[in-house]
Amino acid sequence: MSQREGQNIFIKTFGGFDVFVDGKQVHFSSEKAKEMLTVLVDKRGSSVSLSQMAWLLYEQSPEQTAKNNLRVIYYRLKKILENNGIGGMLIKKRGSFAVDASSFICDVYEFVEGNPDYVPLFLGNYMSGYEWGQEVVPYLNNLYCQYCETPMNGLSDQVHETILSQGKKGGKRK
């Protein structure tokens, strides 16, 4: 696990979205703050402009109202993360937001890199509960199928067999 501010941080995106610090789940008192973090994690450290974030989180609201709400949501997110000792993972610059993707381990990042410990964890669900996350599922399914066809990217024969046996058991893939 990556170390940040002396703690292990793991972010789970397969299925639902959860953040763990030293094995303990972070509680989000604000669903919008949690959703803001999901967007930032999905972008893998790339900046998300204030306008983009406003559109993603407040699609039906006037842009200025959404931007004002985002300032409050960002403050809440920062406080939640700081209270768990991981506030440093957030990056805020004038007009944009990001996360320091090197400050934590994330299942989807490891999956995309072909880490054999994470490939079997993908069961066809990514960021459940966030409609925009479903747009990524076909890409992840395609990667998974590639991993199933041939042991690659350092996948061991044992992991390859595990993947194949999950598929034979009727593991659903979209």
Side-chain angles (χ1 to χ4, degrees):
M1 299 246 157
S2 287
Q3 294 273 325
R4 183 63 173 186
E5 300 172 25
Q7 296 181 313
N8 295 316
I9 306 166
F10 176 73
I11 297 182
K12 175 185 149 312
T13 63
F14 294 154
F17 179 86
D18 286 302
V19 177
F20 298 88
V21 178
D22 292 334
K24 294 180 184 173
Q25 187 173 356
V26 172
H27 171 71
F28 287 86
S29 55
S30 165
E31 282 301 315
K32 283 293 184 187
K34 184 176 184 179
E35 186 173 4
M36 177 183 255
L37 185 58
T38 67
V39 169
L40 297 175
V41 168
D42 181 67
K43 298 300 182 186
R44 296 187 72 166
S46 295
S47 293
V48 178
S49 73
L50 186 60
S51 295
Q52 289 172 310
M53 188 68 77
W55 185 81
L56 285 168
L57 270 64
Y58 294 101
E59 185 177 346
Q60 304 300 323
S61 298
E63 186 174 1
Q64 194 55 49
T65 302
K67 285 180 177 179
N68 289 339
N69 289 341
L70 281 180
R71 289 178 180 90
V72 173
I73 296 304
Y74 175 80
Y75 176 79
R76 287 181 183 161
L77 176 58
K78 186 157 183 67
K79 285 295 173 199
I80 291 167
L81 297 178
E82 284 174 350
N83 288 342
N84 286 277
I86 57 172
M89 69 188 291
L90 285 178
I91 300 169
K92 171 124 177 45
K93 294 184 179 174
R94 184 174 172 90
S96 71
F97 309 96
V99 290
D100 177 359
S102 69
S103 68
F104 54 86
I105 298 291
C106 181
D107 56 2
V108 74
Y109 298 1
E110 297 298 318
F111 174 83
V112 168
E113 294 298 319
N115 183 328
D117 294 332
Y118 291 85
V119 172
L121 300 179
F122 178 65
L123 300 175
N125 293 313
Y126 173 72
M127 297 279 196
S128 297
Y130 302 102
E131 191 174 313
W132 53 263
Q134 300 316 299
E135 296 171 11
V136 180
V137 172
Y139 167 72
L140 297 174
N141 278 325
N142 186 39
L143 262 181
Y144 186 88
C145 288
Q146 289 177 22
Y147 295 145
C148 289
E149 290 171 4
T150 310
M152 57 193 295
N153 295 335
L155 293 179
S156 69
D157 290 335
Q158 180 183 2
V159 170
H160 183 68
E161 288 302 317
T162 301
I163 291 170
L164 289 176
S165 69
Q166 285 177 348
K168 290 176 185 171
K169 291 178 188 173
K172 270 188 133 174
R173 300 275 175 238
K174 291 186 180 180

